[in-house]
Amino acid sequence: MKAHDGMYIGGAWRPAAGTDTITVLNPADEQPVGEVPAGTAEDVDTAVRAAREAFPAWAATPPAERGALIGALRDQLVARKDEIAETVTAELGSPLQFSQMVHAGVPILVAGSYAELAATYAFEEKIGNSTVYMEPVGVVGAITPWNYPLHQIVNKVAPALAAGCTVVLKPAEDTPLTAQLFAEAAHEAGIPAGVFNLVTGLGAVAGQALAEHEGVDLVSFTGSTAVGKQIGAIAGAAVKRVALELGGKSANVILPGADLTKAVKAGVANVMSNSGQTCSAWTRMLVDSARYDEAVELAAEAAAKYGSRIGPVVNAKQQARVRGYIDKGIEEGARVVAGGSEAPREQGYYVQPTVFADVTPDMTIAREEIFGPVVSIIRYEDEDEALRIANGTVYGLAGAVWAADDAEAIAFARRMETGQVDINGGSFNPLAPFGGYKQSGVGRELGPHGLTEYLQTKSLQF
Ligand code: NAD
């Protein structure tokens, strides 16, 4: 794997201030695939200064021109599609086909959507005797996780650039090589110097320095709820804007009239893809008493099919964490019907695709985010109980409802405390706002709603 030994700041790769490095491991075989510099507060400061310097000219660039450059960036992502997929597979471990379709493919759609939105969005509106201008917030500090390494970057950088903001990115330490490829793409696309900057490094060092930097006007963070709370507190104390995309514990609600086989299979597939490392994964499957046993059988069968197809989880720590949750589920009385906590291979951070039956809403595995290939099947007696269970966690990021018809599923979904619900298998829409209710976050990404996160209004009365 190709790795840069510097930071991308002010339009060029430059040496890091310190000498510490991060070694990137392939989770499938635990072998090193590259090394990147571990940035310090000094690197962050240099990058923020570059972003500040570039801000006035970029903010003043006509939106259609910004859109054209984001379009060029999209084209660069298309040109690098194979390299991106191979890099994500090397540092995240996801099967190559999934890396090609999702990890490399979806960011192209999202970048394309912001190329178009920049050119078409009304950055100005009339309200009575006022003209309201939507102006960029300023310098964005973007902090991203490893689970969808490029998607999480593009979700922030594309709308920020479309809005006229400049960006300093601190990607996850497990997947910095994909971030370096993105920086190369931005450079080749002709994004002006300083508009996009990359500092690799550890969260508690480079990430925290970025969140705390007084030259950053908006912190956009995706990651765990625990770190999100810290970032929110830092931003609150400094009265700076903050967007938080955090954890989830989404419910897959299968109502009595639904096509059970379809709903269960889709539910298991949803969790197993990306080895369960999807914040919006439907990790709780809710099934009515009458069809509970049938659903358990179907889910166990479906999970068993993933046995050899699933990739590893990202690192040894996550593997130990997920296996610990499986042990906890057994300890608290849930029944393993597929998989288990034993590591399925000697090498690589693999976890068995696991299904739990007899899960009750108070169990740890029904309340906490596991972030691994684990589905918990919970029984309900009637719709009100299903709703209470679905809404009974601190999270509210996503979910699914299956019913005899869309109207019934929609009526149920409207009562759910969550930001996104797929109705009877509705497909992903890259323009629909994505983000959480409750402790799943603050703010929205994707489409026009994602763009407004990076804008502030100025009203002129005349
Ligand atoms: P994490 O919170 O440990 O790390 C996320 C990012 O924050 C990384 O870049 C990390 O280096 C940085 N970071 C860590 N500590 C920091 C600190 N003190 N100050 C500043 N930055 C810091 O999360 P993770 O383990 O990398 O990712 C998994 C979590 O992300 C899961 O909880 C998942 O649900 C969540 N997630 C949410 C969404 C969403 O859109 N809601 C999407 C993907 C992942």
Side-chain angles (χ1 to χ4, degrees), residues 143-147 152 170-173 201-204 207-208 221-225 227 230-231 245-248 279 369 371 397 434 440:
I143 302 174
T144 54
W146 43 262
N147 63 338
Q152 307 291 5
K170 204 303 283 174
E173 38 274 64
L202 300 177
Q208 186 153 343
F221 170 83
T222 299
S224 60
T225 297
V227 176
Q230 291 175 32
I231 305 259
E245 295 287 349
L246 309 177
C279 48
E369 185 178 51
F371 232 54
L397 189 55
F434 182 90
S440 284

Side-chain angles (χ1 to χ4, degrees), residues 85-302:
E86 282 157 22
T87 304
V88 174
T89 289
E91 57 184 0
L92 179 68
S94 60
L96 190 60
Q97 200 190 3
F98 189 76
S99 295
Q100 281 161 340
M101 281 172 55
V102 177
H103 290 299
V106 176
I108 291 169
L109 289 179
V110 175
S113 76
Y114 281 110
E116 201 178 315
L117 268 167
T120 55
Y121 191 78
F123 287 92
E124 204 180 304
E125 84 179 300
K126 286 290 285 175
I127 301 181
N129 68 319
S130 303
T131 299
V132 181
Y133 295 91
M134 318 285 172
E135 299 188 342
V137 172
V139 173
V140 173
I143 302 174
T144 54
W146 43 262
N147 63 338
Y148 287 88
L150 185 61
H151 178 61
Q152 307 291 5
I153 290 171
V154 172
N155 276 2
K156 298 186 189 308
V157 177
L161 299 195
C165 293
T166 56
V167 179
V168 177
L169 168 69
K170 204 303 283 174
E173 38 274 64
D174 288 289
T175 54
L177 302 177
T178 306
Q180 290 191 338
L181 272 181
F182 177 81
E184 281 181 14
H187 186 83
E188 286 300 314
I191 304 289
V195 169
F196 169 78
N197 307 274
L198 170 69
V199 175
T200 51
L202 300 177
V205 182
Q208 186 153 343
L210 183 58
E212 285 174 348
H213 200 292
E214 56 183 27
V216 169
D217 302 296
L218 186 164
V219 187
S220 180
F221 170 83
T222 299
S224 60
T225 297
V227 176
K229 284 178 180 173
Q230 291 175 32
I231 305 259
I234 291 169
V239 199
K240 64 172 78 166
R241 294 263 295 259
V242 67
L244 305 170
E245 295 287 349
L246 309 177
K249 191 75 194 171
S250 298
N252 177 22
V253 183
I254 306 175
L255 293 175
D259 178 336
L260 188 69
T261 309
K262 195 172 162 197
V264 170
K265 280 190 177 164
V268 171
N270 173 284
V271 177
M272 297 311 159
S273 75
N274 216 34
S275 302
Q277 303 167 120
T278 303
C279 48
S280 53
W282 312 330
T283 49
R284 296 179 300 148
M285 186 183 290
L286 275 54
V287 184
D288 63 287
S289 263
R291 300 198 292 175
Y292 189 81
D293 293 339
E294 196 187 336
V296 168
E297 211 169 293
L298 285 166
E301 263 170 38

